[in-house]
Structure formats: structure tokens, C-alpha cells
Amino acid sequence: MEILTVNVGSSSVKLGRFDARVTPPRCLATVHLAAGAALPDDLGTPALLAHRVVHGGDLARPMLIDAAVEARIETCAPLAPLHNPPALAMIRACRQRFGADMPQVAVFDTAFFTDLPAAARTYALPRDLTRAHGIRRYGFHGIAHQALWRAWQVATGRGGRVVTLQLGAGCSASAIADGKPLDTSMGFTPLEGLVMATRCGDVDPGLLLYLQRVAGLDAAQMEALLSTRSGLLGLAGSADMRQLLHDTSADAALALEVYCRRVRKTIGAYAAVLGGLDGIVFGGGVGQHAAPIRARILADLAWLGVRLDPSANDAATRTSRISSDDSRCAVWVFEVDEASELARAGQQLLTGTA
């Protein structure tokens, strides 16, 4: 009895085959595909498919995908234009490949943040407007942040007050107290918060109104600008962190400083939200593999009790503590295991334990 996990990101597709006869499900194989690539031929016939879906609106728990759930994912597509449309395309491709009777489960990236404190999820907009249109801070990368929290618990054997950082093509931070998220950087859409590869993160909303007036941008043009032409790409002409780290231009230097400063500022803010900090956790393609970026982010955080071990930071791979032994705030690097979180959700639905 196998579960096939399907994780369609903004820049890649990751497939995982899991043995669902054991708890937690055991990974048998992983496959990495380029965005838009066809499903490989050697996947076998799983008992269930578990999909990561970025935005499900008010759908807050894993759901078997039927016509109503699929329609809800499609309704939310304008709020996650880089993610929901390709996820829907993959759901439909899997239906065509495995048949309409194959159970497919949607596991929503927003679910981890469903119960954010009211003050953290509420925008200061008129209440009649927010209630009528379901406007709130949903938060994203929830599966990744949950996986990072689980990895922290396993590695340290404790809970505590932790800032988790998912840094990849998309970037987000979360403030977690003993497993409960108290704040997160993404909001109503995956545009809010940190600087990302091609997404802008936080900007003054008045600036957007100004651009509409002086540049004559309509909604579609504004969406393309903010989602696909901004971030590191907009600042330095490249969305590839590896390339920027070797780029000696002033534009690249500024882009990296803007990127790291935003993360550092968020860590400080979340330390205030949490009332102190026991740990900082890095994950994602940049968070796991870019040691110079981690060092720049953590620079000048001694006031939070952070002491980086430069040698450990340079050598970090999958599961590594990169703070020194005398650091009051422990800093770790983990490989984000979203696939196992998807498989757990799928197994619970298969066994009726959800």
C-alpha cells in the first residue's frame, strides 16, 4: 500500500513514493521534475495521491479532492497565481493517468496557520469588506514550517520559542511557540513578507496605487510585476541566489543586503512576538545550501544570544547545528521534509484516523 506525494512548487515538482503500511510512512523513492514536466512512466499504482496545494481559502484540513474541492482551489487561483494553477493541472494530469477512481487528497499550505491569533491574522480594513470577501492573513508554506518545527523537536528533544525560515524561490518566516504558530510573514497571498526570487514581499500599498496612476498598470500587469518581475530578479537581474553570490556588481550586493536585512528584521520582530527566542531554524533551497546568506542574516544578532560557529555553518548539510556551544539561541539547518508531512496526511485519511 503506497502513497504518492505530489509537491508542485513555483519552480519545480517533487514526487515521493511512501510505504503506508508503517507509521510514520516510510519514503521509498523521490523524483524531481522540472516545472511543467510530464509524469514519469514508472510510478506504479499507488493507493492514494497526496498533493500540496498552496491556497484553499477556508479549507483548513486535508480533503479528498472532489468537484467542490477542485472548484475551491480554482477560485483561490488568483490569490496564488504561481502555485494553484499548476497544482490543478497536476491534479487533472494524475486523474487522467491513474483514473477517476484514484483517491487524491489536497493538503493545504495554509492549514498550519488557520488558528493564528486574531491580532496576527487581521488586516486593518473595514470589517464588512473583510467578512464579505474572506480577507485575512492566511499564511503559506505551512507544510514546510510544520516540518521544520518537527525537525527541531527531533534534533533538540524539546519545544520552545522558535523562528522557522523557509528560504527558497518563495521565502517566509514563522514564529512558533511550543508548536503553535503565533505569526507568519506571508498573508492573504504568498506575496507578503520577505524578499523572494521574483516576488517583492512587503511594499507600501500607496506605492502600488501610485504605480497604477503614473504607469497605467492594470490588475494583470500589476500582478505580473509583483509576482514574476520583482524580488532578487528585479533588483539584480537574476533570481538565482548561487549566481548572485558570485556577482561582484553593486546591484547584486544591494539585492543580497535587502534580502538578508528583511529576514533579519523579521527575526527581531518575531523575537518580540514570542517574548524571547530559543532557536532559529533554516530550511529551503537557499536556507539549507547558502552558508554565506545564513551568515549575513545572523550578523549582529548577538543581542538575541546568537553566536554562529563559522566552520559548522560552512559545513552544514541536512541536519546541522550551526551555532556555537555557548550560543543562548540555538541555530539549526534542516532539510525540509514536506513529502513526509503529505504522506502522514494521506495515511490518516486512508486509515480513518484524520
Side-chain angles (χ1 to χ4, degrees):
M1 186 170 67
E2 289 188 8
I3 292 171
L4 180 66
T5 62
V6 185
N7 187 340
V8 181
S10 58
S11 61
S12 64
V13 178
K14 301 172 188 176
L15 307 176
R17 289 178 47 228
F18 283 80
D19 183 353
R21 295 171 299 178
V22 296
T23 302
R26 181 171 60 90
C27 185
L28 303 173
T30 58
V31 179
H32 295 259
L33 306 175
L39 289 168
D41 295 327
D42 56 349
L43 293 176
T45 303
L48 177 144
L49 281 76
H51 294 263
R52 170 184 173 241
V53 177
V54 165
H55 208 323
D58 56 0
L59 300 179
R61 58 184 177 83
M63 306 278 290
L64 281 169
I65 299 173
D66 56 16
V69 171
E70 190 169 336
R72 182 59 177 154
I73 295 169
E74 190 154 25
T75 298
C76 292
L79 307 180
L82 300 183
H83 300 88
N84 275 30
L88 278 170
M90 181 60 77
I91 289 167
R92 291 160 183 166
C94 289
R95 184 180 298 126
Q96 183 175 8
R97 171 69 172 276
F98 297 106
D101 293 333
M102 171 65 66
Q104 299 193 70
V105 174
V107 184
F108 298 103
D109 239 356
T110 49
F112 187 55
F113 301 113
T114 297
D115 295 324
L116 278 177
R121 66 175 185 259
T122 302
Y123 288 106
L125 295 169
R127 287 178 295 176
D128 56 343
L129 191 67
T130 58
R131 290 170 180 169
H133 298 283
I135 296 171
R136 56 158 285 179
R137 300 188 68 254
Y138 286 100
F140 299 90
H141 287 161
I143 299 167
H145 287 291
Q146 189 169 33
L148 287 171
W149 169 257
R150 195 186 301 275
W152 161 268
Q153 286 185 297
V154 170
T156 66
R158 64 190 180 107
R161 303 161 297 178
V162 178
V163 171
T164 52
L165 299 169
Q166 167 65 12
L167 306 179
C171 300
S172 64
S174 182
I176 303 175
D178 291 321
K180 180 178 175 57
L182 300 185
D183 212 333
T184 191
S185 58
M186 288 178 168
F188 182 62
T189 75
L191 270 174
E192 188 178 352
L194 306 180
V195 175
M196 307 177 220
T198 66
R199 283 171 266 171
C200 59
D202 288 344
V203 295
D204 180 350
L207 168 61
L208 306 184
L209 298 174
Y210 174 80
L211 285 175
Q212 285 183 309
R213 287 194 298 268
V214 301
L217 300 180
D218 61 22
Q221 291 170 322
M222 184 69 77
E223 180 176 274
L225 170 69
L226 302 179
S227 295
T228 66
R229 294 168 48 203
S230 297
L232 295 173
L233 179 65
L235 286 170
S238 174
D240 189 328
M241 183 62 79
R242 293 164 298 186
Q243 180 177 332
L244 292 176
L245 283 169
H246 290 93
D247 189 336
T248 58
S249 70
D251 285 345
L254 178 60
L256 294 181
E257 183 54 35
V258 170
Y259 179 98
C260 294
R261 179 186 176 89
R262 184 74 57 83
V263 180
R264 191 184 314 121
K265 184 168 70 170
T266 301
I267 293 171
Y270 285 178
V273 167
L274 292 164
L277 205 54
D278 300 306
I280 299 170
V281 172
F282 287 88
V286 174
Q288 184 182 344
H289 299 293
I293 295 300
R294 294 194 299 264
R296 293 188 194 193
I297 288 170
L298 297 172
D300 302 321
L301 289 184
W303 63 276
L304 276 176
V306 174
R307 289 184 177 273
L308 182 67
D309 181 331
S311 297
N313 184 45
D314 290 342
T317 53
R318 291 189 173 183
T319 299
S320 305
R321 176 168 172 158
I322 63 172
S323 52
S324 62
D325 291 340
D326 62 345
S327 180
R328 297 197 313 275
C329 177
V331 186
W332 285 78
V333 175
F334 297 119
E335 183 175 30
V336 176
D337 191 2
E338 289 180 302
S340 290
E341 298 295 329
L342 295 173
R344 282 186 179 91
Q347 184 185 56
Q348 289 172 351
L349 283 170
L350 272 178
T351 60
T353 57

